[in-house]
Amino acid sequence: MVSRTVFVLGAGSSAEFGMPVGPDLARRIGRAVALSDGQNLDCPAVQSAASLLDQEQEGVSAHEHRQAAARIGVGLEHSNSIDDFVAQHTGSDGCSAVVRMAKVAITSEILKAESQSRLVRNDVHPYPGGSIVSSSAGEGGQVPFLAMILKRLLGYVSDGEVEARLASVSFIVFNYDRCLEQYLSYFLGVQRNLKLDQAAARVSEMDITHVY
């Protein structure tokens, strides 16, 4: 039997890349579904999401989804996190529109946060510079958590052994974002002098499970 090391990652593993953790994500979602006066019916983001959901959910109107967004804005003030809020409403009578709208709001805010994270790259510099890819200490003297794992995993390993080493670990991820896959691709690319698409292809073969 082949032994395997399993890493379980929570919000902290993405926070160092600038991603919002539970309370901050809930606040962002609350702002996204409600205007300053508490009325969200004319909010463009809510209108677009409600219209999209209306097209896919037969029998549920865009108005119901807009009302659901309003319930989210208020309900998040009394929940520990957006996960807590969704769990409270999953399976409850009359709450299907609330759960769907909450998931749309989560997706929207995570995509926005990813586009502003420290893992964003550009055409000139395909890999983010500085400590975020390095295994040395960066901001505040902190070594990136994932860098410590990968340095241990791939240290003193020839290129021919990398695939076997990557296959020896699994990740169970409780984050909505894709920071793990992006960082793994960057790290492999820099350490093994691979093009980004080559590194990403290796990462795609790894055993990574997203709970959400």
Side-chain angles (χ1 to χ4, degrees):
M1 180 178 294
V2 178
S3 62
R4 181 184 292 272
T5 301
V6 179
F7 295 96
V8 180
L9 304 184
S13 64
S14 294
E16 65 181 347
F17 303 130
M19 296 298 294
V21 295
D24 187 23
L25 178 59
R27 283 192 294 271
R28 294 186 187 198
I29 290 173
R31 289 196 300 266
V33 298
L35 297 179
S36 58
D37 62 0
Q39 299 297 318
N40 73 339
L41 300 186
D42 296 322
C43 177
V46 172
Q47 289 277 16
S48 298
S51 298
L52 177 63
L53 288 170
D54 185 36
Q55 294 172 16
E56 297 183 352
Q57 301 295 326
E58 197 172 320
V60 181
S61 69
H63 178 68
E64 288 178 87
H65 283 118
R66 289 194 295 272
Q67 288 183 317
R71 288 182 62 181
I72 293 169
V74 174
L76 280 176
E77 297 178 6
H78 307 284
S79 301
N80 294 316
S81 65
I82 185 63
D83 304 331
D84 183 27
F85 178 85
V86 171
Q88 291 168 5
H89 291 79
T90 299
S92 301
D93 292 339
C95 289
S96 59
V98 173
V99 173
R100 284 194 297 271
M101 182 60 81
K103 291 180 178 179
V104 168
I106 291 169
T107 302
S108 175
E109 289 305 307
I110 289 297
L111 288 173
K112 187 186 302 181
E114 284 182 341
S115 71
Q116 299 168 354
S117 77
R118 295 178 63 203
L119 290 176
V120 173
R121 65 188 184 91
N122 56 51
D123 293 335
V124 178
H125 301 289
Y127 295 106
S131 64
I132 213 59
V133 177
S134 172
S135 58
S136 59
E139 289 186 12
Q142 297 271 332
V143 175
F145 171 72
L146 289 175
M148 292 189 287
I149 293 177
L150 294 173
K151 190 176 180 181
R152 287 269 187 152
L153 180 67
L154 300 176
Y156 302 101
V157 172
S158 67
D159 287 344
E161 298 174 287
V162 169
E163 186 175 346
R165 282 296 183 95
L166 294 179
S168 71
V169 297
S170 298
F171 290 89
I172 299 176
V173 187
F174 284 85
N175 298 333
Y176 293 106
D177 60 73
R178 299 162 292 180
C179 288
L180 171 62
E181 290 86 344
Q182 196 72 12
Y183 186 84
L184 289 172
S185 297
Y186 288 161
F187 191 96
L188 275 176
V190 171
Q191 190 192 63
R192 299 291 161 167
N193 194 29
L194 300 172
K195 292 182 179 179
L196 185 56
D197 58 348
Q198 295 174 319
R202 290 196 177 190
V203 172
S204 69
E205 296 174 354
M206 295 178 65
D207 183 18
I208 300 174
T209 300
H210 283 266
V211 177
Y212 300 118

